[in-house]
Amino acid sequence: MTGKEDVYRGPAIRALCRITDGTLLQAIERYMKQAIVDRVPSVSSSALVSSLHLMKISYDVVKRWVNEAQEAATSDNIMVQYHALGVLYHLKKNDRLAVSKMLNKFTKSGLKSQFAYCMLIRIASRLLKESEEGHESPFFDFIESCLRNKHEMVIYEAASAIIHLPNCTARELAPAVSVLQLFCSSPKPALRYAAVRTLNKVAMKHPSAVTACNLDLENLITDSNRSIATLAITTLLKTGSESSVDRLMKQISSFVSEISDEFKVVVVQAISALCQKYPRKHGVMMTFLSNMLRDDGGFEYKRAIVDCIISIVEENPEAKEAGLAHLCEFIEDCEHTVLATKILHLLGKEGPRTPAPSKYIRFIFNRVVLENEAVRAAAVSALAKFGAQNENLLPSILVLLQRCMMDTDDEVRDRATFYLNVLQQKQMALNATYIFNGLTVSIPGMEKALHQYTLEPSEKPFDMKSIPLAMAPAFEQKAEITLVATKSEKLAPSRQDIFQEQLAAIPEFMNLGPLFKSSEPVQLTEAETEYFVRCVKHMFTNHIVFQFDCTNTLNDQLLEKVTVQVEPSDSYEVLCCIPVPSLTYNQPGICYTLVRLPDDDSSAAIVCLPDHLLSQLGLASALPPFRCSLITSVHPTFPRWSLLSPSALLLKRPQFQDQTLVLCSLLTQAIVCLPDHLLSQLGLASALPPFRCSLITSVHPTFPRWSLLSPSALLLKRPQFQDQTLVLCSLLTQAIVCLPDHLLSQLGLASALPPFRCSLITSVHPTFPRWSLLSPSALLLKRPQFQDQTLVLCSLLTQAIVCLPDHLLSQLGLASALPPFRCSLITSVHPTFPRWSLLSPSALLLKSPQFQDQTLVLCSLLTQAIVCLPDHLLSQLGLASALPPFRCSLITSVHPTFPCWSLLSPSALLLKRPQFQDQTLVLCSLLTQGESQGATLCPSR
Amino acid sequence: MEALILEPSLYTVKAILILDNDGDRLFAKYYDDTYPSVKEQKAFEKNIFNKTHRTDSEIALLEGLTVVYKSSIDLYFYVIGSSYENELMLMAVLNCLFDSLSQMLRTQEKCREATLLENMEGLFLAVDEIVDGGVILESDPQQVVHRVALRGEDVPLTEQTVSQVLQSAKEQIKWSLLR
């Protein structure tokens, strides 16, 4: 390779590289590098091509020659350029960016070699396809510019690249098609062939784009090259109109025997498509197809024809008899067992319903006499179907079947005996079950079941009933089926079968074993929320798979990597989550969560609630997946985690609040409708009252969401407070019961405030201890040092008392306790008082350990409240004189322990929190007023 | 299938065949394992010959492969590529093969089986110069002929022209320096 004679060096390099292995390559590396940049084209080309071959042996070594290849790419020789480009691409093809850079460089600098241009076009179209970016990309422009290249090879490559690009519009195709149209009239057969072949592909997707070329294509029908003529005709068949079909068919039949099987299949496919398009032309097609069927041809070709005829027969009732006749003729001399059995099956299915079924019997029985075992068996089955459906043929069929019982083959004999006996019963039901319908179970299901059966040998015989039924449409619309909410009993097994298949298709779930049971889907959200989530639980031997069907209901949002976070307790371990890659508008996606069941089966508690109870509750059908969580919450012995798992998870993520609400309301509803005697039967009577109150809140339609959330959130979040909460709740319930309605209405609260009833009443009930007032913000109970502030807070909850006339209060024994709290109470009952102010304090209080700040916020809320308080009320409270000028400082005075300074700081705090700015504005104005007054107040104290 | 179309590769040619009047193989070179055994290759060649020897056209689709071919008196030249390959590239290879052989065999018009068999070594060399392992190495028949034809014995010094002597001397000096 370093010899003096240039013509020897190229072959020497090629030969050397051919016999080199990885270890020897190091030794010749230096020479290879030199050779790649050699000025002699043949040497350089040889070195480049050899390095391309060597990449398979040692990619890493060749990778080091990239600079040399780069240099070679600038060579003047067309082949060197081409080879260098090829080597560079193969070295860089895993790095998209590098490829696109290289492409940019070469498209700008321009190349001499037509081969290199073809390569560039291929690289560019690959990049375009991978990136799926629009056709505004510079690469597309480059390909299009190549349509004007002087080499036909490049023009054709560019046109073909454009046509093969996905989602090309007709406008983008137009230049490529017109170039191909020119090629159609080229004297070179190869060029004509290439053009027609590509146009044929265009016609599959965009028939209208090719209609412009119809004239040129028609000229090609008489082309001496049969391949070109065939392609031209099939293209015309795709683009042509009904009127031209006859003429085209005639032309095809004139040369169909001369073309290869591949093209015959293409022709048959084109005809098949045509039959669907123009069903009235079936006569012409059928004659043509039957002629083709008589000709010689391979299996693939015959099968294409038979499939085509079968599809015509099935779709077009007019063509049925002619089609069956042709097929009968075909099986008289058919060497392909598969086709013969297929046709016999079709005859058995369609034949008995034709006007003259008897004429098929001869063809079928001929098969029994002449053919091999498989065909004979199929023929016997077909005969039986005729016998089952045609009374007058039955005696003859029985005779024929009796003859079949002498057959040499077991299967044929068995079938004949079986069918004969069934037919002799003359019972339609038997006929229907055993003759027409055959195997109704799902084939994959049966395969699986049989496999399982052979793996675990048992004494029991295999039970066909254990296999799910096959539902033909169910398989086609898999995705849809899983999303249909209500399903009939009959569908259920096949649905499970589908789930089994779907889950088995996911690599993570492959080793879970057989699917034990799948629950009905349960909605986790209401239909009108931003996303619609439904859950289906799949039980396996040791695992549960939660399947979440998510639907994005916002048409302006695309959700990506959607997961549903599940946080079970310790013993339940989340093994993996499979997210939905992306969720477009209204396109349901499925994400899965795999949870391992603990070894000790604590979920046995689920069993404790009998099904009839649930059904009594009207929940049996809707709730199954939530059954356990439902029951856990009503049954005290049920482990805590189940209570926590949905709520803890959902509460953490603000976007799932809605779900929690749904869940809670489900729980509460259930309990509400549960009669007492049932509860006591369950041993829950004493435990339940706490939930009743929350139930009531949810029952009331006008009650805002958050209020539903807050108690349940608290209850669910902190299991350690359940006891207290329970006490509280029971008190609430009791209170509600004891407070007559007229009293409530007297309070002006009866209609508007049902949810508050309980909290209201708790505070008025004499036996209610003070701390229990605090429990809604259960947290506060924990910290006795904050009781003072908490008292203020709690007054928010006991709002209505303010409106309560004194005599009533005294009646309740609260008269003395109340005055200090009165003003704070007013805040919450005043209609203009914004909701958030009620909500936010608790949120704030719960969040941070220091309650000072929260208190300040709270205070500011109070201040606001007082501001909106009508004067006459204030005066009624004995505050009228003190208020107008110093409304804010007033509050400090309401509570003796409340320090004066705390009034001043809220603004600072509130300003920090953007969500409070609006309020802050109001507040600040108050503060400015208050500060000046406060300044005067403080010294006076 | 789609990936096949779009995987840009230099490996263009799957096989080059030259068959005789009866469809028997005179020369065959397969560059990949579409037809791994000789038996399959022979069957394929028979099939090709049956489909093509009667017609004078130059391109066909056979067994999912694009075949471009040319006949000359009693010889049939075939270049075979994938059905997604640019047919014109295959045509370029076929033309190059045909033209360079015509020139090498000094037959003005057509090649014949007899002359080809006499120059079998030239044929092998030419094919190797045109396609290497499926990659098109050269498409210019002049270049191919040049590279194959100069492969004679070294001309004795006394019969060389002055410039040839000088040239070879220069080369020798250069290579001794390079080493």
Side-chain angles (χ1 to χ4, degrees), chain B:
Chain B
M1 283 306 220
E2 288 285 296
L4 265 176
I5 307 169
L6 290 155
E7 176 59 55
S9 166
L10 291 189
Y11 295 95
T12 308
V13 181
K14 280 186 182 289
I16 292 180
L17 308 175
I18 300 176
L19 305 181
D20 70 6
N21 227 349
D22 305 318
D24 289 327
R25 176 194 283 193
L26 284 179
F27 171 90
K29 203 151 178 114
Y30 289 82
Y31 295 105
D32 64 4
D33 5 302
T34 317
Y35 299 98
S37 72
V38 177
K39 202 179 154 199
E40 287 164 277
Q41 292 175 1
K42 290 269 188 193
F44 175 63
E45 283 155 27
K46 208 86 206 157
N47 186 12
I48 277 198
F49 185 75
N50 287 337
K51 284 284 175 339
T52 56
H53 78 282
R54 264 175 283 140
T55 55
D56 199 23
S57 47
E58 59 178 30
I59 188 159
L61 182 71
L62 268 173
E63 303 186 16
L65 299 169
T66 299
V67 180
V68 292
Y69 57 98
K70 218 170 216 178
S71 61
S72 153
I73 312 179
D74 50 2
L75 291 177
Y76 293 88
F77 297 84
Y78 298 92
V79 174
I80 291 133
S82 141
S83 63
Y84 304 107
E85 200 42 75
N86 188 331
E87 290 85 350
L88 303 185
M89 274 199 186
L90 299 176
M91 219 44 219
V93 174
L94 179 67
N95 287 335
C96 175
L97 172 71
F98 189 78
D99 293 347
S100 36
L101 282 183
S102 302
Q103 286 183 36
M104 278 163 52
L105 305 183
R106 312 256 156 74
T107 48
Q108 241 62 22
E109 292 296 314
K110 305 253 177 183
C111 321
R112 287 179 163 279
E113 187 180 343
T115 44
L116 187 74
L117 287 175
E118 279 168 23
N119 291 285
M120 211 58 186
E121 78 283 3
L123 167 68
F124 275 101
L125 288 172
V127 171
D128 279 350
E129 286 294 344
I130 295 168
V131 175
D132 180 48
V135 180
I136 305 173
L137 201 57
E138 184 54 72
S139 61
D140 179 5
Q142 296 297 334
Q143 285 289 329
V144 175
V145 172
H146 171 73
R147 288 180 202 170
V148 175
L150 258 183
R151 230 164 283 229
E153 300 85 51
D154 273 342
V155 191
L157 198 64
T158 48
E159 291 176 22
Q160 285 179 356
T161 60
V162 178
S163 61
Q164 272 177 327
V165 175
L166 278 177
Q167 178 69 28
S168 76
K170 223 190 261 173
E171 287 283 312
Q172 273 181 10
I173 292 167
K174 195 179 84 186
W175 283 110
S176 61
L177 283 176
L178 270 175
R179 258 174 231 135

Side-chain angles (χ1 to χ4, degrees), chain A residues 709-747:
Chain A
L709 189 64
S710 51
S712 61
L714 279 161
L715 283 170
L716 295 174
K717 231 184 195 171
R718 326 211 145 229
Q720 71 269 34
F721 283 119
Q722 277 206 342
D723 285 354
Q724 285 86 341
T725 321
L726 293 180
V727 175
L728 171 67
C729 292
S730 66
L731 287 171
L732 293 177
T733 9
Q734 281 169 26
I736 295 169
V737 177
C738 71
L739 200 68
D741 272 356
H742 72 270
L743 235 174
L744 287 169
S745 63
Q746 221 177 325
L747 293 169

Side-chain angles (χ1 to χ4, degrees), chain A residues 690-723:
Chain A
F691 288 107
R692 285 208 173 156
C693 54
S694 58
L695 304 184
I696 297 158
T697 58
S698 59
V699 178
H700 197 276
T702 61
F703 196 73
R705 284 241 165 97
W706 59 262
S707 61
L708 185 64
L709 189 64
S710 51
S712 61
L714 279 161
L715 283 170
L716 295 174
K717 231 184 195 171
R718 326 211 145 229
Q720 71 269 34
F721 283 119
Q722 277 206 342
D723 285 354

Side-chain angles (χ1 to χ4, degrees), chain A residues 504-644:
Chain A
I506 297 165
E508 282 88 342
F509 299 157
M510 272 197 318
N511 304 320
L512 297 185
L515 175 62
F516 173 65
K517 199 118 186 102
S518 296
S519 70
E520 293 290 316
V522 165
Q523 298 189 5
L524 298 183
T525 63
E526 286 165 53
E528 67 271 14
T529 48
E530 302 90 64
Y531 18 76
F532 178 63
V533 182
R534 287 188 339 187
C535 176
V536 179
K537 284 206 292 195
H538 304 290
M539 298 297 299
F540 290 88
T541 322
N542 292 314
H543 300 83
I544 308 183
V545 172
F546 294 92
Q547 173 187 337
F548 298 99
D549 300 332
C550 312
T551 313
N552 179 5
T553 58
L554 294 181
N555 53 10
D556 56 346
Q557 274 190 16
L558 172 71
L559 300 175
E560 282 189 327
K561 289 189 190 149
V562 180
T563 55
V564 175
Q565 203 84 38
V566 177
E567 292 182 13
S569 73
D570 301 340
S571 54
Y572 288 71
E573 185 190 352
V574 176
L575 293 181
C576 66
C577 274
I578 294 167
V580 187
S582 77
L583 211 55
T584 50
Y585 171 59
N586 238 350
Q587 289 290 311
I590 301 176
C591 60
Y592 297 96
T593 303
L594 176 62
V595 176
R596 197 165 57 80
L597 293 170
D599 299 333
D600 56 324
D601 197 8
S602 53
S603 61
I606 296 172
V607 186
C608 73
L609 196 68
D611 272 5
H612 72 270
L613 230 171
L614 284 167
S615 63
Q616 226 176 321
L617 293 171
L619 290 169
S621 61
L623 272 177
F626 284 111
R627 260 187 206 180
C628 54
S629 58
L630 169 68
I631 298 157
T632 52
S633 56
V634 290
H635 197 281
T637 61
F638 200 76
R640 284 252 160 84
W641 67 264
S642 59
L643 192 61
L644 299 181

Side-chain angles (χ1 to χ4, degrees), chain A residues 94 159 598 896:
Chain A
N94 294 324

